[in-house]
Each structure stands twice: as C-alpha cells, then as structure tokens.
C-alpha cells in the first residue's frame, strides 16, 4: 500500500529489466490540446500518475467526458464549454498554464487561476504572455486570475529564451488562426515534437524550420479525430540508468527511445558505463569505475535539467571531483541541503555545484519536488545504513511505479 515515505537499506546493486512509462511531459500538453478536438481523441501509453489525474479533473470540470484504463485515455470534448477555472484546480500543477492556448483558440477567451509549481525556482509566464500579446491577444492578471481574450492570432514572435511551455501554448493558440503564425527560437524537446505530431495527425498545418528554430502554424478550420501513442518518458529512463550505475549494477530498459537521451548516454559512457542500445531498449552495465565529469544543463538536445538532481547523486559516487552548472532553472539545488545530511561533499555557488566523492550515510530526508524526491531515493540506494525519504506525493506526480520497479531490480526498499 502506497504511503508518503519509504525506508531504504542501501548498498544493493540494481540488476534486471524494466519497461519505461509514457512521458508525463508529453501527456500533459496533449491533454491540453484535447480541447482543440470536437470529436473523440484516443491517447495511448499514458502513465497513471497524479499530474495526469489532476489534468483530467480540470478537463472534466470543463465538460469533457473520458475513460482512463490500462494506459489509454478516450476523451470526448464535444461538450466542453468555456468556464472560469478556479485556482483550487489550476494550482495543483504547473502545466495548467498550458490550458491558456487551447482555450483561447477554441473560445477566444479564457480565465484561469495561477498555476502551481514546484520548488525549483520561480516559474514566470512572461514569455507566454508576451507571445499571446504579440500575436494579437490581450492578456492580464486580475484578482489572482489570468485573463485573456483573442480575436484571431497572426504574425511572428521570437521567444526571448527557449521555453517548452510557452512554445506549446503558442502553437495550440494558433492552430485555428486565420493566417499564419511564426514562432522563432522555439523549443524542440521530444515532448514538443510529440504534441506537434498529434496536432498534425488531426489535420493541423505545422511546419518546422531548422534555421532559428522556427515553427510556422497555418490556421485550419477544425481538427478531426485521432488515435495517438505518447512517446516514452526519457526522464524516467534517465533516472533508472543513473540509479543502476550509482549502485554499480546493470539494467535493461525496454519501450524507450535512445535517440531522446543521446547526451545523457554520452555522459554515462564518459563516466565509464557500458551502454548498448537497440531501437527501443537501452542496457547499462557497470564496468568497474565511475569517473567524475562536468555537466552543464541546457535546452534540448543538451543535458536535461530534469536529470540534474539524479546526476548530482551519481557524481557523489564518482572517483573524482565533478561539477554541475544548472543553466535552466535558478534554485534547482534546494535538494542538496538534504544530501548534506547524508554526508554528501557538495558545495554550491550560484549556478555551480562542486561535488566530491562521498560516502553517503543513511538518515531521514525530505523530498522537495518530483525529480529531487527520486534523487533522494537514489541516494538512499547508495548510502550505508537505512534512509527514510518522506514527501513521496511529489514522486507520485510523475513516476507511475518508481518504488515497485526498484524492488523488481533488487533494491531493499519498502513503503513505511
Ligand atoms: C517544462 O516546464 C517541463 N514540464 C519541466 O519538467 C522541465 O524542467 C522544463 O520544461 C525545462 O525543460 C512540463 O513539460 C510539464 P520552461 P516549463 O518554460 O515549460 C523560464 C519535471 O520535473 N521561463 O522551458 O515550465 C523558466 O523560469 C518538470 O517534469 C521564463 O522565464 O519550462 C525556466 O528558467 C520540472 N518565462 C526556463 O525558462 C516564461 O514565460 C525554462 O522553463 C517561461 C519560462
């Protein structure tokens, strides 16, 4: 029975094979995009996680009818109506901000409470708002609610920095525009491309141009029914690869796309891991050493910020001093306070974390957000003695069966 904390008896090597869930960060924008469809939409390979349920609760509030069984969501948004979305619904997750674009596209207006967030730093929406305004809509915040109106969007907008959510929001807002919308310096994460694949399958006209990361959206009248399978979750895959390597074990991941993890796999090989891949599997084997390295997080295809805490824990097990530079989110080092309780030798200075080889020792630690909680569990797997990790609610937001998969791989971990 799932509880809010786990006990881990460290020192066991992870060994074995697990399958990888569908991507949380592809599913959430796709659920937002479902508002653009007036007929049935079938979405497969969806993980049963809290963020997906929170999003489905919002869609149901708007009038959506859905079933969600064994990883398949069947949605019918024919009766979705325009409604003010209160902050008790929108504040459950950051991704509720992704409703702005589709609601504007379908109803020409929207009103939504401020989105939630995690403790990885401020989560501003200025790029989203600037984009909506530049393309012809009016956006303002009144009484803690985000309000927007749009007659029809057209023109060009250059994102001041690549933002996954802003790219997704502006694409969805533009699907039914009368002319064309061009977005420059847009994000091209695999999850953004999966959203584009879904929209194109429904008849949307979206063109990608390498130069200046430009995305051009030509408006269409409506979208037709689609059946779509969500891409694998590269962050879950990376988390298990780092955990297996940190425990000096070996793991085979199935139902994964190695091409989405090129840079993290490169880093693991530089650190001494043996990596073998096929079209949909990755096998990592510990070969007697974990070398130190330097990691700088960046937008895709750089090293993903969502694997930064996991890499930090892995680097405490390396034989040499290492460094991480977190270039995407300020404040994504809060979890290190908890690692220091486990005798980790880490110093942070602004964006930089200096990590020295550390003999981690078990104690009670807290999870602060989704990836940090997974990383604290990783630390417990490597530590001497027993570690108790609390606040698992963060973990259940994004990992479908994290503890159960670790147990399957031989970890001595149990709910407490
Ligand atoms: C998405 O968040 C992911 N979430 C995040 O994953 C991921 O860390 C992030 O992209 C970066 O890859 C989902 O897809 C649901 P951003 P998003 O807009 O879209 C700044 C996880 O653990 N920014 O690309 O919110 C922002 O503060 C989560 O699964 C602005 O300044 O990220 C950050 O520093 C955590 N103004 C940077 O851009 C804006 O208007 C990247 O943010 C928007 C963003």
């Amino acid at each position: 029975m799932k509880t809010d904390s786990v006990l881990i008896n460290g020192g066991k090597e992870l060994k074995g094979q697990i399958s990888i869930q569908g991507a949380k960060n592809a599913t959430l924008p796709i659920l937002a995009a479902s508002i653009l469809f007036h007929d049935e939409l079938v979405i497969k390979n969806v993980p049963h996680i809290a963020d997906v349920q929170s999003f489905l609760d919002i869609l149901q509030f708007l009038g959506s009818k859905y079933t969600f069984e064994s990883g398949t969501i069947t949605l019918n948004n024919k009766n979705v109506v325009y409604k003010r979305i209160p902050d008790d619904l929108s504040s459950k997750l950051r991704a509720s901000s992704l409703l702005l674009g589709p609601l504007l596209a379908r109803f020409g207006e929207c009103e939504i409470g401020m989105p939630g967030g995690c403790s990885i730093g401020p989560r501003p929406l200025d790029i989203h708002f600037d984009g909506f305004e530049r393309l012809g809509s009016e956006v303002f915040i009144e009484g803690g609610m985000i309000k927007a109106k749009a007659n029809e969007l057209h023109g060009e907008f250059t994102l001041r920095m690549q933002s996954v959510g802003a790219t997704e929001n502006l694409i969805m807002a533009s699907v039914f525009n009368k002319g064309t919308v061009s977005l420059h310096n847009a994000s091209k994460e695999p999850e953004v491309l999966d959203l584009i694949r879904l929209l194109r399958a429904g008849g949307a006209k979206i063109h990608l141009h390498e130069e200046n990361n430009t995305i051009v959206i030509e408006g269409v009248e409506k979208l037709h029914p689609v059946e779509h399978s969500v891409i694998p979750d590269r962050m879950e895959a990376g988390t298990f690869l780092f955990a297996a390597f940190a425990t000096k074990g070996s793991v085979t991941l199935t139902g994964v796309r190695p091409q989405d993890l090129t840079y993290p796999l490169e880093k693991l090989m530089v650190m001494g891991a043996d990596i073998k891949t096929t079209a949909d599997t990755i096998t990592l084997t510990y070969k007697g050493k974990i070398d130190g390295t330097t990691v700088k997080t960046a937008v895709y295809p750089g090293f993903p910020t969502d694997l930064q805490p996991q890499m930090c824990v892995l680097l405490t097990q390396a034989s040499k001093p290492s460094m991480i530079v977190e270039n995407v989110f300020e404040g994504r080092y809060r979890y290190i306070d908890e690692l220091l309780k486990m005798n980790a030798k880490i110093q942070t200075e602004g964006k930089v974390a200096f990590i020295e080889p550390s003999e981690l020792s078990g104690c009670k630690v807290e999870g602060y957000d989704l990836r940090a909680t997974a990383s604290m569990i990783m630390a417990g797997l490597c530590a001497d003695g027993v570690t108790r990790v609390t606040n698992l609610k963060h973990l259940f937001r994004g990992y479908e069966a994290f503890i159960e998969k670790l147990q399957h791989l031989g970890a001595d971990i149990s709910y407490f």
Side-chain angles (χ1 to χ4, degrees), residues 367-410:
Y368 286 145
D369 65 73
L370 169 57
R371 308 301 174 187
T373 306
S375 303
M376 296 319 298
I377 291 171
M378 256 184 79
L381 296 172
C382 305
D384 296 329
V386 177
T387 301
R388 182 178 172 194
V389 181
T390 62
N391 265 357
L392 291 197
K393 62 178 180 299
H394 295 303
L395 192 74
F396 301 143
R397 282 188 44 210
Y399 291 97
E400 182 174 353
F402 193 71
I403 308 302
E404 294 73 12
K405 289 182 180 180
L406 286 175
Q407 289 167 334
H408 176 74
L409 292 173

Side-chain angles (χ1 to χ4, degrees), residues 323-326 333 336 346-354:
M323 183 170 81
I324 290 179
V325 185
E326 171 53 65
Y333 285 141
I336 291 176
I346 304 173
Q347 292 179 52
T348 58
E349 186 78 35
K351 290 182 170 190
V352 181
F354 297 96

Side-chain angles (χ1 to χ4, degrees), residues 77-132:
N77 287 340
K78 196 173 30 247
N79 301 320
V80 163
V81 293
Y82 166 72
K83 260 186 191 173
R84 179 180 174 283
I85 300 174
D87 61 8
D88 59 329
L89 282 175
S90 63
S91 60
K92 284 186 187 168
L93 71 166
R94 154 90 186 172
S96 56
S97 57
L98 295 174
L99 286 159
L100 284 164
L103 287 170
L104 269 186
R106 181 160 173 170
F107 300 113
E109 60 177 327
C110 70
E111 190 176 343
I112 180 168
M114 294 307 274
C118 4
S119 63
I120 56 176
R123 307 291 294 270
L125 294 169
D126 61 294
I127 303 174
H128 301 240
F129 297 166
D130 289 351
F132 286 135

Side-chain angles (χ1 to χ4, degrees), residues 301-321:
F303 190 93
T305 176
D306 289 353
L307 289 177
Q308 180 259 97
Q310 300 91 316
M311 175 54 95
C312 184
V313 172
L314 173 55
L315 289 171
T316 65
Q317 304 304 300
S319 57
K320 300 189 192 84

